[in-house]
Amino acid sequence: QKSKHQGDCLLYAASSHTGSGMRITSAPRHQYLYYVVLGFLAFNDLAKGTFAMQSQTSRAAVAQLRSTSDKLSNLLDVAKCAGWAKREGASMLFLPECFGFLGESGQETLSRAEPPILVSGSESAQQKSVKGPIFDALKLTVSSYANGSEQVADISESSVQIEVSLLDGLKTIARESGCWLSAGGMHESGAPPAAMGGEGNEAKSRVYNSHVIIDSDGIVKSTYRKSHLFDVSIPNKVNLRESATTAPGEELVVCDSPIGRLGLSTCYDVRFPEMYVDLVQRGGAEILLVPSAFTVPTGKAHWHTLLTGE
């Protein structure tokens, strides 16, 4: 129903109503990171269809981003989209995989991974606001994009040099915008190292690729760790081995939200249909999430087919 594009971020907001469907909106083809909410929203001319929510009227916003290794710049783009989402009356904003960091190498991914994400613990502790110029800038960006002035706060050079916490930034954005966030994939430290064969060989460090749901009070409601890792080699096109730096998760995750019960997955998971059967039949998922950073060759060949298959 509404789309807005400016610079390197893109926002879609769409309403769903009990007993009625929703027209699918297409995204520009030059976007690199894809987000699809199966059965509810789909973009990039890859699906046509409708979905009827079994709840009261609700609104979702979906962001497309061009993420880099600059975490602060990426968070400011998320803050812009959250401001747009607030202005459009959305209760939840969905972000793609690698929304906050897309590095140049596996070693950079390992060295700049986020601290372990804790879901348990007191809500009062999770709600504690983080202070500082970076978080003030995120709040100002959200509010200015929500009220239509669309200004990005100036940040001092000394503050830019500080490695910002993606999770703290997301919590700030969620509280300021009043939106729940689906953070489609961020690298989380604390994964078990990979065992190396042979005596005397050291175990190799690994991270998790974690899909995090945060509520409008800045509380982490659930974390899904990607279980199917993307290893592919296409001569002269793609050579990626996610399993070299990432440990697989071992749990399926569903989470209640303002727009319904969410079934969480990430990117390459979409090739394993039994997972989605379990999310729906055993977990009661009403909406299936597939935040992704698909490569161009595999995306062109398989993306649409896989999504319609699920």
Tab-separated table of all heavy atoms in Angstrom, residues 147-179:
chain	number	residue	atom	x	y	z
A	147	ASN	N	8.461	11.917	11.980
A	147	ASN	CA	7.672	13.146	11.849
A	147	ASN	C	7.792	13.807	10.480
A	147	ASN	O	7.170	14.845	10.223
A	147	ASN	CB	8.041	14.145	12.959
A	147	ASN	CG	9.484	14.640	12.872
A	147	ASN	OD1	10.061	14.740	11.797
A	147	ASN	ND2	10.075	14.961	14.024
A	148	GLY	N	8.612	13.217	9.596
A	148	GLY	CA	8.677	13.717	8.236
A	148	GLY	C	9.812	14.672	7.937
A	148	GLY	O	10.046	15.015	6.782
A	149	SER	N	10.570	15.103	8.950
A	149	SER	CA	11.674	16.023	8.688
A	149	SER	C	12.885	15.298	8.099
A	149	SER	O	13.701	15.892	7.402
A	149	SER	CB	12.076	16.755	9.971
A	149	SER	OG	12.478	15.840	10.983
A	150	GLU	N	13.031	14.018	8.414
A	150	GLU	CA	14.027	13.127	7.812
A	150	GLU	C	15.441	13.690	7.884
A	150	GLU	O	16.118	13.888	6.874
A	150	GLU	CB	13.634	12.781	6.374
A	150	GLU	CG	12.282	12.084	6.300
A	150	GLU	CD	12.002	11.421	4.963
A	150	GLU	OE1	12.843	11.562	4.042
A	150	GLU	OE2	10.944	10.772	4.838
A	151	GLN	N	15.902	13.902	9.097
A	151	GLN	CA	17.258	14.371	9.346
A	151	GLN	C	18.057	13.281	10.058
A	151	GLN	O	17.534	12.594	10.923
A	151	GLN	CB	17.241	15.637	10.202
A	151	GLN	CG	16.536	16.811	9.552
A	151	GLN	CD	16.476	18.018	10.467
A	151	GLN	OE1	16.768	17.920	11.656
A	151	GLN	NE2	16.111	19.154	9.911
A	152	VAL	N	19.319	13.152	9.673
A	152	VAL	CA	20.222	12.219	10.339
A	152	VAL	C	21.157	13.024	11.223
A	152	VAL	O	21.780	13.991	10.781
A	152	VAL	CB	21.034	11.394	9.318
A	152	VAL	CG1	21.992	10.448	10.034
A	152	VAL	CG2	20.095	10.614	8.414
A	153	ALA	N	21.252	12.657	12.489
A	153	ALA	CA	22.046	13.412	13.443
A	153	ALA	C	23.530	13.345	13.101
A	153	ALA	O	24.033	12.330	12.616
A	153	ALA	CB	21.816	12.877	14.857
A	154	ASP	N	24.236	14.450	13.358
A	154	ASP	CA	25.690	14.468	13.216
A	154	ASP	C	26.311	13.712	14.382
A	154	ASP	O	25.886	13.843	15.534
A	154	ASP	CB	26.206	15.908	13.204
A	154	ASP	CG	25.782	16.657	11.954
A	154	ASP	OD1	25.644	16.011	10.897
A	154	ASP	OD2	25.573	17.889	12.039
A	155	ILE	N	27.334	12.935	14.080
A	155	ILE	CA	28.029	12.162	15.104
A	155	ILE	C	29.501	12.541	15.068
A	155	ILE	O	30.108	12.616	13.998
A	155	ILE	CB	27.860	10.651	14.868
A	155	ILE	CG1	26.380	10.290	14.801
A	155	ILE	CG2	28.548	9.844	15.964
A	155	ILE	CD1	26.117	8.846	14.462
A	156	SER	N	30.067	12.780	16.237
A	156	SER	CA	31.461	13.201	16.309
A	156	SER	C	32.384	12.115	15.770
A	156	SER	O	32.077	10.922	15.823
A	156	SER	CB	31.846	13.526	17.756
A	156	SER	OG	31.814	12.361	18.546
A	157	GLU	N	33.532	12.535	15.262
A	157	GLU	CA	34.489	11.577	14.688
A	157	GLU	C	34.977	10.575	15.729
A	157	GLU	O	35.184	9.404	15.423
A	157	GLU	CB	35.670	12.340	14.091
A	157	GLU	CG	36.642	11.449	13.335
A	157	GLU	CD	37.718	12.251	12.626
A	157	GLU	OE1	37.521	13.467	12.434
A	157	GLU	OE2	38.749	11.651	12.271
A	158	SER	N	35.133	11.028	16.968
A	158	SER	CA	35.591	10.123	18.023
A	158	SER	C	34.562	9.032	18.302
A	158	SER	O	34.917	7.886	18.589
A	158	SER	CB	35.875	10.906	19.308
A	158	SER	OG	34.709	11.579	19.758
A	159	SER	N	33.285	9.378	18.207
A	159	SER	CA	32.235	8.388	18.448
A	159	SER	C	32.178	7.364	17.333
A	159	SER	O	31.903	6.186	17.566
A	159	SER	CB	30.877	9.078	18.584
A	159	SER	OG	30.857	9.946	19.696
A	160	VAL	N	32.471	7.807	16.097
A	160	VAL	CA	32.422	6.913	14.962
A	160	VAL	C	33.468	5.802	15.091
A	160	VAL	O	33.280	4.685	14.604
A	160	VAL	CB	32.631	7.696	13.647
A	160	VAL	CG1	32.782	6.758	12.459
A	160	VAL	CG2	31.479	8.661	13.423
A	161	GLN	N	34.576	6.098	15.762
A	161	GLN	CA	35.651	5.118	15.900
A	161	GLN	C	35.303	3.994	16.871
A	161	GLN	O	35.973	2.964	16.908
A	161	GLN	CB	36.926	5.823	16.373
A	161	GLN	CG	37.388	6.951	15.474
A	161	GLN	CD	37.600	6.514	14.036
A	161	GLN	OE1	38.158	5.453	13.774
A	161	GLN	NE2	37.129	7.327	13.097
A	162	ILE	N	34.263	4.170	17.669
A	162	ILE	CA	33.875	3.162	18.654
A	162	ILE	C	33.045	2.073	17.970
A	162	ILE	O	32.147	2.366	17.186
A	162	ILE	CB	33.048	3.816	19.792
A	162	ILE	CG1	33.879	4.902	20.489
A	162	ILE	CG2	32.589	2.765	20.794
A	162	ILE	CD1	33.092	5.716	21.484
A	163	GLU	N	33.359	0.811	18.277
A	163	GLU	CA	32.580	-0.309	17.720
A	163	GLU	C	31.221	-0.354	18.411
A	163	GLU	O	31.126	-0.613	19.605
A	163	GLU	CB	33.325	-1.630	17.911
A	163	GLU	CG	32.604	-2.840	17.342
A	163	GLU	CD	32.756	-2.986	15.833
A	163	GLU	OE1	32.947	-1.978	15.134
A	163	GLU	OE2	32.706	-4.129	15.353
A	164	VAL	N	30.176	-0.089	17.673
A	164	VAL	CA	28.844	-0.006	18.255
A	164	VAL	C	28.255	-1.406	18.376
A	164	VAL	O	28.507	-2.281	17.546
A	164	VAL	CB	27.934	0.897	17.388
A	164	VAL	CG1	27.761	0.319	16.000
A	164	VAL	CG2	26.586	1.123	18.048
A	165	SER	N	27.478	-1.626	19.429
A	165	SER	CA	26.774	-2.892	19.605
A	165	SER	C	25.503	-2.882	18.776
A	165	SER	O	24.633	-2.024	18.955
A	165	SER	CB	26.430	-3.098	21.084
A	165	SER	OG	25.410	-4.070	21.239
A	166	LEU	N	25.379	-3.838	17.860
A	166	LEU	CA	24.164	-3.921	17.052
A	166	LEU	C	22.942	-4.150	17.928
A	166	LEU	O	21.886	-3.554	17.712
A	166	LEU	CB	24.280	-5.052	16.025
A	166	LEU	CG	25.268	-4.851	14.883
A	166	LEU	CD1	25.268	-6.068	13.970
A	166	LEU	CD2	24.940	-3.594	14.081
A	167	LEU	N	23.069	-5.027	18.928
A	167	LEU	CA	21.917	-5.343	19.769
A	167	LEU	C	21.477	-4.130	20.572
A	167	LEU	O	20.274	-3.833	20.650
A	167	LEU	CB	22.255	-6.507	20.704
A	167	LEU	CG	21.071	-7.056	21.512
A	167	LEU	CD1	19.981	-7.592	20.586
A	167	LEU	CD2	21.530	-8.146	22.468
A	168	ASP	N	22.420	-3.391	21.152
A	168	ASP	CA	22.055	-2.185	21.890
A	168	ASP	C	21.427	-1.151	20.961
A	168	ASP	O	20.475	-0.447	21.335
A	168	ASP	CB	23.285	-1.586	22.579
A	168	ASP	CG	23.730	-2.386	23.790
A	168	ASP	OD1	22.917	-3.176	24.312
A	168	ASP	OD2	24.898	-2.229	24.212
A	169	GLY	N	21.953	-1.053	19.739
A	169	GLY	CA	21.362	-0.132	18.774
A	169	GLY	C	19.945	-0.521	18.408
A	169	GLY	O	19.049	0.337	18.337
A	170	LEU	N	19.702	-1.806	18.195
A	170	LEU	CA	18.360	-2.267	17.863
A	170	LEU	C	17.385	-2.020	19.011
A	170	LEU	O	16.228	-1.634	18.783
A	170	LEU	CB	18.392	-3.757	17.523
A	170	LEU	CG	19.084	-4.146	16.221
A	170	LEU	CD1	19.189	-5.662	16.112
A	170	LEU	CD2	18.371	-3.572	15.010
A	171	LYS	N	17.822	-2.267	20.239
A	171	LYS	CA	16.947	-2.027	21.390
A	171	LYS	C	16.563	-0.558	21.477
A	171	LYS	O	15.404	-0.210	21.758
A	171	LYS	CB	17.644	-2.477	22.678
A	171	LYS	CG	17.787	-3.983	22.813
A	171	LYS	CD	18.479	-4.340	24.126
A	171	LYS	CE	18.543	-5.837	24.340
A	171	LYS	NZ	19.166	-6.198	25.643
A	172	THR	N	17.526	0.324	21.220
A	172	THR	CA	17.252	1.764	21.225
A	172	THR	C	16.237	2.122	20.147
A	172	THR	O	15.285	2.877	20.384
A	172	THR	CB	18.563	2.543	21.002
A	172	THR	OG1	19.473	2.258	22.067
A	172	THR	CG2	18.301	4.038	20.941
A	173	ILE	N	16.434	1.581	18.954
A	173	ILE	CA	15.532	1.857	17.827
A	173	ILE	C	14.127	1.329	18.113
A	173	ILE	O	13.122	1.995	17.826
A	173	ILE	CB	16.107	1.249	16.536
A	173	ILE	CG1	17.368	2.004	16.122
A	173	ILE	CG2	15.075	1.267	15.415
A	173	ILE	CD1	18.167	1.317	15.031
A	174	ALA	N	14.041	0.138	18.692
A	174	ALA	CA	12.730	-0.446	19.002
A	174	ALA	C	11.978	0.418	20.007
A	174	ALA	O	10.777	0.686	19.849
A	174	ALA	CB	12.910	-1.862	19.545
A	175	ARG	N	12.665	0.838	21.058
A	175	ARG	CA	12.001	1.665	22.085
A	175	ARG	C	11.563	3.013	21.517
A	175	ARG	O	10.465	3.499	21.811
A	175	ARG	CB	12.946	1.869	23.281
A	175	ARG	CG	13.056	0.664	24.199
A	175	ARG	CD	13.791	1.008	25.475
A	175	ARG	NE	15.205	1.228	25.225
A	175	ARG	CZ	16.162	0.319	25.419
A	175	ARG	NH1	15.847	-0.875	25.850
A	175	ARG	NH2	17.423	0.611	25.180
A	176	GLU	N	12.411	3.626	20.702
A	176	GLU	CA	12.097	4.953	20.169
A	176	GLU	C	10.959	4.906	19.156
A	176	GLU	O	10.121	5.807	19.101
A	176	GLU	CB	13.351	5.568	19.531
A	176	GLU	CG	13.185	6.997	19.057
A	176	GLU	CD	12.986	7.985	20.202
A	176	GLU	OE1	13.387	7.680	21.351
A	176	GLU	OE2	12.426	9.082	19.939
A	177	SER	N	10.918	3.844	18.359
A	177	SER	CA	9.897	3.746	17.311
A	177	SER	C	8.596	3.120	17.792
A	177	SER	O	7.543	3.309	17.177
A	177	SER	CB	10.433	2.912	16.138
A	177	SER	OG	10.658	1.563	16.535
A	178	GLY	N	8.670	2.361	18.905
A	178	GLY	CA	7.496	1.635	19.366
A	178	GLY	C	7.174	0.429	18.504
A	178	GLY	O	6.073	-0.127	18.579
A	179	CYS	N	8.137	-0.003	17.682
A	179	CYS	CA	7.948	-1.158	16.795
A	179	CYS	C	8.698	-2.378	17.328
A	179	CYS	O	9.812	-2.256	17.836
A	179	CYS	CB	8.490	-0.863	15.393
A	179	CYS	SG	7.517	0.300	14.425
